[in-house]
């Protein structure tokens, strides 16, 4: 049975009388170029010296204004090396293994450099690496070239040198030591053995000093619970590929939960093999990435989530702790518990409730199950923060008990909910020092702002897990007069050793027999670890406390977006312009609320004529703190009685004006707990969102998402026409398969390479790492909020998010088939278009499909777009005159028109408009000028380099060598790229899979990108 569900991307589409949707479907470009205004300006016309002017003038193209400028691209002269460094070969990329460890994101990665410049992040795919770079990690290379970085240390906001800084700090430390007063070192979770050793040396010299570890987004309750049971301050690790049943309560484990990085193992179990796939049940308040991928999603308030956890604990352990019934979803929760128990060792429960007792029960349940996916021996060590110690520090500062404070990797003035109290206490210290890359909120109120380097300019070591020791190495010399915190610690302890040498000597205990050079080359070393043993604990007491949970007002769930995380990279334009996978909003944070609650509080969203989304403002109050004028998004799937708000926005200091967006959710982060009781009220005014949801629609065509159930897939596997039907078209008044009808004669594609890209809808989690990787590889410009709102974003790759109405797959089909008679059918379909309280979600990456029979190629009047024998659809930018005919003729809406010159244009104050920011540009890809069409090139520069490298080496190309930016960034394995003419390649085998289908195959474009039918577990069996 093939999927015939009703899919919708935006609530606006559900209004059958919406003139906006109808207009957008029939109008490719929502705003016209002011042609008359331009052509009427004699000065503009006379200043253009293009030879194409008369041609355009007489033919009368409507895009003359934008096209003229395309013929006058800037000329940049290359300057050769006077003395070329021996290790650098111009035009050849070098790769260095390193580790990102910024206190929030941790991963083993590779850094691509060109002529000594880091320009791109890649996954480190060596066995044993803890890789899986997310969108922020891929974007971190751009943060290296942030023009607002601190370029040298400052004392009282005045430029200083390091000798002055060291002398001032040392003098203060000696004074504190002599007086016996307190010294505090406030750091993020460094997870660094060498830094811990340096701090131990520091405290040996200054016994009055102590360290406080502070994570902006706290995992303190989970850490406390794990430490209680296992005696180690860490977090349990999970391998979801070993699970048949996954139950998640409030844990977005496909997002940032406990550091993330779980999507690869999760995807392995979600691709149907041998008639099986893992079951996933998600209980949560906010609609998350994990919730979007779940087979069954149960939207509950935080109090109900705690009660659900107790019910599961009762069933698994045999306890009898009484809990009230959960309205509407009681049976679903009990069924989830039964399936988890039946799965036994093949079951696992994960929990993101920010509560010590909830985390204790999570450990108890997994131990009771003896879950194979639950791994404590290789515990995660990248979260170490202690909320109690942080709260005590604020009290001590207010009481004037701290003489000197050194802060590294933290910005408490921005991230603490009681930051005003922290600032008051800071003024009472004799010396405050902020080690920071930016003159941020904390650096500005500290006596000394000590400029630190970016991680790509630094040495370091990190224990990502108990079995993974990783090395951080510099990939470029420091751009500014900066020093690492560790270097200063060495100086303060009178140790004349360089940090590199100190690191090298201290690493021997962690190298597991590997040489230092080998570890630096690989980026990490793995070690065998002794399994941790659980101690006895009073789990029943935790269950009793949780069972008594009640909601007071609305439950506010604070979370991090996969784009901005904790806000460290808020000045990164790639991340600001990255559309959120769920809401599809960029350049903003907002409060998410259910439709029912929105109606209750009179909060609204509406679309305007050009497809832009507008919304109400709301004031949110937690305790005595009110956050005013928060934009509102009505989110399908948001649990009634709950609201959500993302961290990371609202920063002001050391931020470009364009990126000072959103509100600061940390103000509501009372006691560093992400679950709060809140009240909400409507505020005046309306907010304009940069939401891409109604943009670049596929014109209402069906068969975009193909979906079936596991039972149908297994039962009718050999008869795939049942669940993956071949599109039919009419030929000579007879229905024939669409792929048998051609308007053109096909050329022989069996000779040489022919590239295909496979995308598995089961494995894609919508994380967006591919979007940022594409940005970095292909010099995609950032256009800003106002341009995105005008449908002018330049992303070569987008991830469409679709909702479907019914909560069960069979529900849509049954409802449609039960309707009889014209009036009944119309009424039924109208009812189905009402937004579901708990919709299903599907993600679908869309880029240029590189059609073998491409509609764009036939309408280009200057042959700017053409096809190669290798299957790639090319763009010759210098030929393009900007007619936009190709975009109008593209059924996939994947072409982007360069409305402006985004490079070296003062109107766009992003990375392409300052010399430092332009250092990130990839020299293998030209920077496009104004007035041309651009789109996915299937990374032709990467495929050609692979071919040339093999030719130089005199060898055949191995399967897996061919990559695009998106396929290499995809840690879940959803994207597989390769040569289909190599019949042994993975992509060739995937092309023959019964789940394979082409997007809009009935129109006969014969794409080189193909998808795999999404298979879901039968909802009735979950």
């Amino acid at each position: 049975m093939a999927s015939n569900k009703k899919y919708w991307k935006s609530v606006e589409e559900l209004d059958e009388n919406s003139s906006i949707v109808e207009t957008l479907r029939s109008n490719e470009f929502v705003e016209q170029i002011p042609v008359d205004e331009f052509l009427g300006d004699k000065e503009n016309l006379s200043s253009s010296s293009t030879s194409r002017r008369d041609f355009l003038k007489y033919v009368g193209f409507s895009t003359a204004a934008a096209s003229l400028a395309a013929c006058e691209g800037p000329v940049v002269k290359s300057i050769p090396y006077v003395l070329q460094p021996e290790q650098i070969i111009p035009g050849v990329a070098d790769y260095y293994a390193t580790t990102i460890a910024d206190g929030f994101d941790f991963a083993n990665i590779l850094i691509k450099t060109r002529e000594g410049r880091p320009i791109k992040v890649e996954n480190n795919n060596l066995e044993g690496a803890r890789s899986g770079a997310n969108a922020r990690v891929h974007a971190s290379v751009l943060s290296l070239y942030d023009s607002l970085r601190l370029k040298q240390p400052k004392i009282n906001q005045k430029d200083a040198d390091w000798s002055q800084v060291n002398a001032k700090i040392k003098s203060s430390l000696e004074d504190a030591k002599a007086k016996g007063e307190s010294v505090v070192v406030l750091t993020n979770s460094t997870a660094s053995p060498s830094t811990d050793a340096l701090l131990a040396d520091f405290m040996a010299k200054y016994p009055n000093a102590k360290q406080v570890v502070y994570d902006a987004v706290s995992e303190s309750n989970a850490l406390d619970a794990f430490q209680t049971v296992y005696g180690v301050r860490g977090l349990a690790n999970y391998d979801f590929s070993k699970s048949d049943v996954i139950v998640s309560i409030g844990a977005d484990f496909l997002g940032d939960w406990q550091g993330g990085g779980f999507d690869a193992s999760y995807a392995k179990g979600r691709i149907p093999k041998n008639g099986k796939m893992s079951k996933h049940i998600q209980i949560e308040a906010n609609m998350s990435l994990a919730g979007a991928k779940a087979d069954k999603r149960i939207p509950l308030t935080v109090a109900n989530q705690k009660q659900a956890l107790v019910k599961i604990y009762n069933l698994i352990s045999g306890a009898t702790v009484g809990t009230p019934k959960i309205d509407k979803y009681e049976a679903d929760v009990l069924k989830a518990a039964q399936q988890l128990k039946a799965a036994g060792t093949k079951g696992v429960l994960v929990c993101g409730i920010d509560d010590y007792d909830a985390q204790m029960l999570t450990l108890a349940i997994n131990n009771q199950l003896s879950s194979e996916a639950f791994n404590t021996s290789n515990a995660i060590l990248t979260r170490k923060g202690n909320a109690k110690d942080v709260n005590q520090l604020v009290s001590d500062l207010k009481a004037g008990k701290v003489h000197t404070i050194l802060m590294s990797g933290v910005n408490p003035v921005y991230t603490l909910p009681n930051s005003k109290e922290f600032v008051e206490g800071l003024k009472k210290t004799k010396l405050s020092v902020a080690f920071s890359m930016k003159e941020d909120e904390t650096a500005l109120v500290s006596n000394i702002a000590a400029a630190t380097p970016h991680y790509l300019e630094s040495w370091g070591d990190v224990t990502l897990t108990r079995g993974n020791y990783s090395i951080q190495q510099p990939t470029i010399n420091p751009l500014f007069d900066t020093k690492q915190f560790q270097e200063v610690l060495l100086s303060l302890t009178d140790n004349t050793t360089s940090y590199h040498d100190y690191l090298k000597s201290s690493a021997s205990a962690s190298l597991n027999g590997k040489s230092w050079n080998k570890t630096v080359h690989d980026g990490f070393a793995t070690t065998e670890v002794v399994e941790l043993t659980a101690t006895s604990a009073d789990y029943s007491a935790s269950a009793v406390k949780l069972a008594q949970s009640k909601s007071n007002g609305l439950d506010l769930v604070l979370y991090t977006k996969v784009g901005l995380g904790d806000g460290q990279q808020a000045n990164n334009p790639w991340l600001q312009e990255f559309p959120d996978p769920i809401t599809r909003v960029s350049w903003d944070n907002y409060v998410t609320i259910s439709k029912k609650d929105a109606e209750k509080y009179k909060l609204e969203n509406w679309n305007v004529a050009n497809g832009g989304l507008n919304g109400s403002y709301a004031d949110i109050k937690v305790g005595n703190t009110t956050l005013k004028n928060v934009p509102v998004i009505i989110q399908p799937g948001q649990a009634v009685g709950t609201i959500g708000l993302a961290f990371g926005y609202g920063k002001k200091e050391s931020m470009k004006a364009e990126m000072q967006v959103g509100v600061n959710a940390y103000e509501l982060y009372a006691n560093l707990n992400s679950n709060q009781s809140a009240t909400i009220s409507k505020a005046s005014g309306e907010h304009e969102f940069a939401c891409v949801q109604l943009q670049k629609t596929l014109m209402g065509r069906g068969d975009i998402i193909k979906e079936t159930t596991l039972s149908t897939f297994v039962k009718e596997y050999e008869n795939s026409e049942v669940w993956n039907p071949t599109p039919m078209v009419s030929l000579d008044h007879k229905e024939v398969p669409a792929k048998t009808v051609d308007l053109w004669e096909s050329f022989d594609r069996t000779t040489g390479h022919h590239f295909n890209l496979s995308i598995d809808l089961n494995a894609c989690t919508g994380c967006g790492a591919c979007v940022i990787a594409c940005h970095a590889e292909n010099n995609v410009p950032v256009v800003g909020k106002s341009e995105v709102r005008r449908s002018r974003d330049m992303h070569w790759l987008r991830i469409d998010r679709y909702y479907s109405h019914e909560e069960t797959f069979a529900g849509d089909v049954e409802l449609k088939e039960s309707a009889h008679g014209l009036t009944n059918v119309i009424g039924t379909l109208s009812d189905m278009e009402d937004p579901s309280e708990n919709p299903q979600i599907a993600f679908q990456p869309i880029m240029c499909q590189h059609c073998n029979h491409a509609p764009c190629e036939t309408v280009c009047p200057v042959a700017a777009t053409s096809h190669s024998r290798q299957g790639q659809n090319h763009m010759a930018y210098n030929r393009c005159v900007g007619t936009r005919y190709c975009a109008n003729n593209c059924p996939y809406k994947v072409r982007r028109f360069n409305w402006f010159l985004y490079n070296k244009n003062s109107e766009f104050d992003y990375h392409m408009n300052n010399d430092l920011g332009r250092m990130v540009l990839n020299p293998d890809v030209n920077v496009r000028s104004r007035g041309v069409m651009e789109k996915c090139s299937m990374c032709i520069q990467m495929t050609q380099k692979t071919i040339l490298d093999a030719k130089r080496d005199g060898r055949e190309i191995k399967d897996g060598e061919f990559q695009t930016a998106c396929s290499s960034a995809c840690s879940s394995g959803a994207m597989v790229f390769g040569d289909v003419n190599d019949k042994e390649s993975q992509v060739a085998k995937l092309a023959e899979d019964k789940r394979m289908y082409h997007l809009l195959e009935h129109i006969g474009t014969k794409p080189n990108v193909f998808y795999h039918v999404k298979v879901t577990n039968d909802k009735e069996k979950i």
Side-chain angles (χ1 to χ4, degrees):
M1 172 173 57
S3 169
N4 60 349
K5 291 201 289 188
K6 170 75 174 179
Y7 282 104
W8 42 281
K9 292 174 69 179
S10 169
V11 173
E12 185 70 20
E13 293 180 49
L14 304 180
D15 181 1
E16 62 182 11
N17 298 316
S18 173
S19 60
I20 294 171
V21 172
E22 199 57 42
T23 301
L24 291 171
R25 281 179 176 170
S26 58
N27 185 9
E28 171 70 17
F29 303 102
V30 297
E31 294 192 13
Q32 299 297 317
I33 298 178
V35 180
D36 296 337
E37 182 181 320
F38 182 88
L39 294 177
D41 189 336
K42 292 183 179 179
E43 290 185 9
N44 276 348
L45 286 174
S46 61
S47 64
S48 174
S49 57
T50 173
S51 61
R52 295 185 184 140
R53 185 187 62 176
D54 290 338
F55 168 73
L56 292 172
K57 179 179 177 183
Y58 288 115
V59 174
F61 287 155
S62 66
T63 54
S67 304
L68 292 175
C71 308
E72 299 172 348
V75 176
V76 179
K77 295 181 179 179
S78 298
I79 302 174
Y81 288 114
V82 178
L83 292 173
Q84 179 184 323
E86 291 181 12
Q87 68 273 24
I88 293 178
I89 303 173
V92 177
D94 290 312
Y95 290 83
Y96 298 90
T98 190
T99 304
I100 182 172
D102 64 7
F104 190 72
D105 289 310
F106 295 81
N108 295 130
I109 54 177
L110 302 179
I111 301 297
K112 178 183 179 181
T113 67
R114 280 293 302 271
E115 288 74 55
R117 296 177 295 114
I119 63 170
K120 192 169 184 291
V121 173
E122 302 277 4
N123 281 314
N124 186 337
N125 293 320
L126 290 178
E127 186 178 354
R130 185 170 172 83
S131 193
N134 58 31
R136 293 185 302 275
V137 175
H138 281 281
S140 64
V141 67
L142 180 57
S143 296
L144 168 66
Y145 304 115
D146 189 341
S147 60
L148 295 182
R149 281 180 56 187
L150 258 176
K151 297 173 177 61
Q152 66 182 94
K154 291 187 174 185
I155 298 177
N156 297 323
Q157 281 79 53
K158 295 181 180 178
D159 292 345
D161 58 47
W162 282 103
S163 60
Q164 292 173 299
V165 168
N166 285 340
K168 196 169 183 64
I169 297 174
K170 202 161 191 178
S171 172
S172 183
L173 290 172
E174 293 295 343
D175 184 52
K177 184 178 180 180
K179 295 177 178 177
E181 296 184 14
S182 175
V183 172
V184 174
V185 182
L186 180 65
T187 71
N188 58 7
S189 290
T190 61
S192 168
S194 64
T195 305
D196 291 343
L198 279 170
L199 285 168
D201 294 343
F202 177 81
M203 291 172 198
K205 183 174 176 64
Y206 301 102
N208 54 323
K210 68 175 181 179
Q211 182 189 11
V212 175
V213 183
Y214 168 49
D215 294 329
V217 180
S218 177
E219 297 280 1
S220 193
N221 283 316
L223 290 165
D224 290 346
F226 193 86
Q227 191 169 16
T228 299
V229 177
Y230 293 101
V232 172
R233 194 156 185 83
L235 299 167
N237 213 336
Y238 297 88
D239 183 353
F240 292 106
S241 66
K242 297 179 179 179
S243 290
D244 289 341
V245 176
I246 303 164
V247 177
S248 170
I249 303 182
D252 185 12
F253 59 87
L254 297 180
D256 295 332
W257 175 74
Q258 296 190 354
F262 302 110
D263 46 350
S265 64
Y266 173 80
K268 287 178 183 177
R270 296 292 290 171
I271 298 174
K273 292 178 182 175
N274 303 319
K276 293 183 177 181
M277 61 182 286
S278 61
K279 295 179 181 179
H280 173 195
I281 302 157
Q282 185 82 10
I283 302 172
E284 63 182 6
N286 296 346
M287 176 65 82
S288 68
L289 287 180
K293 293 298 293 182
D295 293 306
K296 175 176 279 187
R297 183 176 177 274
I298 305 173
L300 296 180
T301 63
V302 175
N304 283 344
Q305 288 175 40
K306 292 177 180 178
Q307 291 161 4
L309 183 61
V310 176
K311 292 176 190 292
I312 294 172
Y313 170 73
N314 283 344
L315 192 65
I316 300 294
S317 67
T320 56
V321 178
T323 56
K325 281 193 174 183
I326 299 172
D327 293 341
K328 191 176 181 179
Y329 292 110
E330 174 79 10
D332 290 328
V333 171
L334 294 176
K335 194 172 181 181
Q338 290 162 0
Q339 291 191 77
L340 190 62
K341 184 175 183 178
T345 60
K346 290 294 183 180
V348 67
L349 182 135
V350 293
C351 179
I353 301 173
D354 199 355
D355 183 281
Y356 172 82
D357 296 306
Q359 296 301 324
M360 288 292 288
L361 284 198
T362 303
L363 299 175
I365 291 168
N366 284 312
N367 280 326
Q368 188 74 33
L369 291 169
S370 298
S371 171
E372 294 178 16
F374 179 70
N375 185 337
T376 57
S377 59
N378 198 29
I380 298 168
L381 301 179
T382 54
R383 296 287 188 270
K384 293 288 184 70
N386 192 313
K388 293 175 184 175
D389 289 351
V390 174
N391 290 331
Q392 184 60 50
L393 171 62
V394 175
S395 299
D396 290 346
L397 284 167
K398 284 176 63 181
K401 295 179 180 179
V402 179
H403 182 285
T404 302
I405 183 169
L406 309 180
M407 297 170 283
S408 174
V410 295
N411 184 8
V413 176
Y414 164 65
T415 57
L416 276 177
N418 51 346
S419 63
K420 290 181 180 178
E421 296 178 18
F422 183 85
V423 172
E424 289 174 15
L426 215 57
K427 292 175 181 176
K428 296 179 181 179
T429 63
K430 303 296 187 296
L431 183 71
S432 55
V433 185
F435 290 85
S436 175
M437 277 179 57
K438 308 283 285 292
E439 197 168 12
D440 55 26
E441 290 81 356
T442 302
L444 277 172
V445 297
S446 299
N447 302 126
I448 297 176
T452 57
H454 189 268
Y455 79 92
L456 294 177
E457 303 168 308
S458 309
W459 282 102
D461 61 350
V462 192
T463 47
L464 299 178
T465 66
R466 291 183 70 232
N468 178 299
Y469 174 76
S470 300
I471 293 293
Q472 186 179 84
Q473 67 167 319
T475 59
I476 188 174
N477 283 327
L479 297 172
F480 307 114
D481 183 16
T482 57
K483 279 188 183 295
Q484 289 184 241
F485 175 59
Q486 292 86 348
E487 293 179 78
V488 176
L489 284 178
L490 283 165
S491 174
L492 295 175
T493 54
D494 300 320
N495 191 330
T496 57
T497 308
S498 70
Y499 178 51
H500 169 267
D501 292 341
Y502 184 94
L503 172 64
K504 186 175 179 180
S505 62
S506 66
S508 56
S510 305
L511 294 183
N512 193 29
K514 283 188 179 180
S515 69
W516 165 258
N517 288 344
K518 171 69 172 171
T519 305
V520 172
H521 174 272
D522 293 350
F524 66 97
T526 56
T527 57
E528 292 294 327
V529 289
V530 179
E531 192 166 338
L532 296 176
T533 304
T535 58
S536 58
D538 188 359
Y539 298 115
S540 296
S542 293
V544 170
K545 288 181 186 177
L546 291 175
Q548 298 168 355
S549 300
K550 293 181 181 178
S551 292
N552 297 314
L554 288 171
D555 285 344
L556 168 63
V557 180
L558 299 164
Y559 68 101
T560 57
K561 287 188 185 182
V562 294
L564 229 53
D566 65 349
Q568 288 186 58
Q569 297 191 70
N571 206 40
N572 190 312
W574 286 349
L575 294 175
Q576 288 282 9
E577 193 146 296
F578 172 68
D580 180 76
I582 300 294
T583 64
R584 309 294 289 133
V585 173
S586 64
W587 292 100
D588 252 321
N589 72 330
Y590 35 76
V591 59
T592 56
I593 191 169
S594 69
K595 183 184 178 184
K596 185 175 180 179
D597 286 330
E599 291 171 348
K600 177 180 177 181
Y601 295 102
K602 296 181 171 54
L603 301 170
E604 298 176 285
N605 281 151
W606 63 94
N607 288 95
V608 294
N610 68 354
L613 180 70
N614 289 7
S616 305
Y617 284 111
D619 295 339
I620 305 173
K621 185 176 182 181
V622 173
N624 295 321
T625 304
T626 301
L627 197 57
K628 291 185 174 293
N629 295 328
V630 185
V632 174
I633 287 286
I634 299 172
Q635 176 61 55
Q638 182 82 30
V640 175
T642 71
I643 54 177
L645 185 64
F647 293 121
Y649 291 83
K651 283 176 67 70
K652 302 295 182 186
E653 303 302 337
S654 290
M655 296 277 292
K656 291 187 177 181
E658 292 85 351
M659 282 173 271
Q660 295 179 22
V661 296
V663 294
N664 185 2
Y666 285 111
E667 293 180 22
L668 304 180
Y669 196 30
N671 297 314
L672 305 188
N673 193 296
S674 59
N675 302 327
Q676 301 287 337
S677 292
T679 58
I680 191 170
S681 57
K682 185 174 182 177
S684 60
E686 65 180 71
H687 184 78
E688 294 185 346
F689 291 100
C691 180
V692 300
Q693 192 52 53
L694 276 184
Q695 300 173 12
K696 305 175 184 70
T697 69
L698 294 180
M699 300 301 188
R701 296 182 171 110
D703 293 332
I704 296 167
I705 300 285
K706 283 193 176 184
E707 185 177 13
T708 190
T709 59
L710 183 62
S711 61
T712 302
F713 176 73
V714 173
K715 183 180 178 182
E716 303 288 350
Y717 181 74
E718 295 302 327
N719 185 19
S720 60
E721 283 295 317
V722 173
W723 49 271
N724 187 14
T726 300
M728 308 295 281
V729 295
S730 177
L731 178 66
D732 296 331
H733 306 290
K734 294 179 182 178
E735 275 203 341
V736 297
K739 58 187 175 184
T740 64
V741 180
D742 279 341
L743 291 177
W744 301 272
E745 289 185 13
S746 295
F747 58 85
D748 179 19
R749 295 193 289 268
T750 61
T751 304
H753 303 291
H754 192 82
F755 299 118
N756 271 204
L757 176 63
S758 168
I759 302 175
D760 195 323
L761 299 183
N762 268 55
C764 177
T765 63
C767 71
C770 54
V771 176
I772 302 299
C774 178
H775 253 298
E777 176 67 29
N778 295 298
N779 300 334
V780 176
V782 173
V783 301
K785 180 176 179 177
S786 62
E787 292 300 296
V788 171
R789 185 172 163 84
R790 290 183 172 92
S791 307
R792 294 176 180 174
D793 65 288
M794 297 299 292
H795 294 109
W796 285 11
L797 163 63
R798 71 177 190 267
I799 302 179
D800 285 340
R801 183 267 298 122
Y802 292 95
Y803 296 123
S804 62
H805 173 80
E806 289 295 308
E807 294 182 22
T808 65
F809 178 87
D812 267 345
V813 180
E814 185 180 337
L815 199 58
K816 287 177 185 176
E817 293 181 349
S818 64
H820 299 286
L822 180 61
T823 304
N824 192 12
V825 168
I826 292 173
T828 299
L829 293 176
S830 179
D831 289 343
M832 287 181 68
E833 289 182 347
D834 183 56
S836 172
E837 182 181 311
N838 189 23
Q840 292 184 80
I841 287 184
F843 295 113
Q844 186 175 53
I846 302 285
M847 69 291 289
C848 174
Q849 302 290 291
H850 295 271
C851 309
N852 288 308
H853 291 167
C856 56
E857 295 169 13
T858 58
V859 295
C860 181
V862 292
T865 182
S866 59
H867 211 70
S868 77
R869 293 190 67 87
Q870 296 178 348
Q872 291 152 313
N873 177 263
H874 292 179
M875 270 300 305
Y877 299 123
N878 279 7
R879 293 188 64 88
C880 179
V881 294
T883 64
R884 300 182 295 171
Y885 291 174
C886 56
N888 199 49
N889 221 39
C890 173
Y892 306 104
K893 303 303 153 201
V894 288
R895 290 179 160 261
R896 304 289 177 261
F897 184 62
N898 221 320
W899 290 86
F900 296 99
L901 177 66
Y902 300 110
N903 178 42
K904 296 185 179 179
N905 185 341
S906 60
E907 295 296 319
F908 298 90
D909 190 17
Y910 307 114
H911 67 287
M912 284 189 178
N913 300 290
N914 63 77
D915 290 338
L916 188 63
R918 279 191 293 272
M919 287 178 71
V920 82
L921 296 178
N922 182 1
D924 291 333
V925 180
N926 67 322
V927 177
R928 284 74 65 185
S929 190
R930 179 186 181 187
V932 301
M933 272 291 171
E934 57 181 79
K935 57 149 195 93
C936 162
S937 66
M938 209 174 258
C939 291
I940 189 171
Q941 70 279 3
M942 295 176 68
T943 56
Q944 291 307 301
K945 184 180 186 304
T946 302
I947 293 168
L948 292 172
D949 285 350
K951 184 177 181 180
R952 178 197 61 204
D953 299 340
R955 60 174 176 82
E956 291 186 357
I957 297 171
K958 300 174 184 176
D959 185 33
E961 279 192 81
F962 283 123
Q963 291 288 350
T964 58
C966 55
S967 66
S968 64
C970 183
S971 55
S972 69
M975 291 183 174
V976 178
F977 181 76
D979 179 6
V980 287
N981 284 344
D982 175 6
K983 298 305 178 186
E984 297 303 312
S985 67
Q986 186 182 1
V987 76
K989 293 173 182 176
L990 289 168
E992 299 300 320
D993 192 283
K994 290 181 181 293
R995 288 171 57 218
M996 188 278 287
Y997 76 97
H998 289 112
L999 195 60
L1000 305 182
E1001 190 170 11
H1002 59 278
I1003 61 178
T1005 56
K1006 299 189 181 300
N1008 283 314
V1009 177
F1010 59 85
Y1011 296 81
H1012 281 76
V1013 173
K1014 183 181 179 186
V1015 181
T1016 60
N1017 282 294
D1018 299 73
K1019 303 298 187 294
E1020 309 81 36
K1021 298 178 182 179
I1022 299 176

